[in-house]
Amino acid sequence: MLWYIAKLLVLLPLVGLLAWGSLKLARRMQDRMNANPGGERAARIVETTFLSPGLKLAVIEFRGREILVSTSRQGLTRLAEAPVRGVVD
């Protein structure tokens, strides 16, 4: 019984440390993959609207165009495209 408790006291913190380290590494790798050297993103989500639990509409701004897409479990479908709207003061 003493041997079991000794192993538990050694291995439990080790498993916790491994879990914490893997989370830190995953966050670091994700930040590295999302890094944009120019500073500005190529695509920007302007607006989203939920139609049903599995269906959503989104307006994406990309290279001076606004693209209306439908997102579902099966994927994305481009519905419409137009120039970016002007800013109204």
Side-chain angles (χ1 to χ4, degrees):
M1 182 71 175
L2 185 62
W3 176 244
Y4 175 75
I5 292 174
K7 285 194 314 187
L8 186 65
L9 289 175
V10 170
L11 292 177
L12 192 60
L14 184 63
V15 169
L17 186 63
L18 285 172
W20 177 80
S22 66
L23 288 174
K24 289 297 249 186
L25 180 63
R27 178 178 290 169
R28 186 179 199 184
M29 294 302 291
Q30 189 175 26
D31 289 344
R32 188 176 293 172
M33 295 298 264
N34 290 337
N36 194 356
E40 189 173 323
R41 294 182 178 260
R44 182 175 67 93
I45 297 177
V46 177
E47 185 177 342
T48 59
T49 302
F50 290 95
L51 298 178
S52 67
L55 190 61
K56 177 169 63 169
L57 287 178
V59 177
I60 300 170
E61 184 181 325
F62 180 71
R63 293 189 181 179
R65 307 286 291 168
E66 284 186 345
I67 305 165
L68 177 66
V69 295
S70 165
T71 62
S72 66
R73 290 185 178 97
Q74 287 77 29
L76 292 172
T77 305
R78 185 174 62 136
L79 301 175
E81 188 172 332
V84 174
R85 295 172 280 179
V87 177
V88 179
D89 291 327

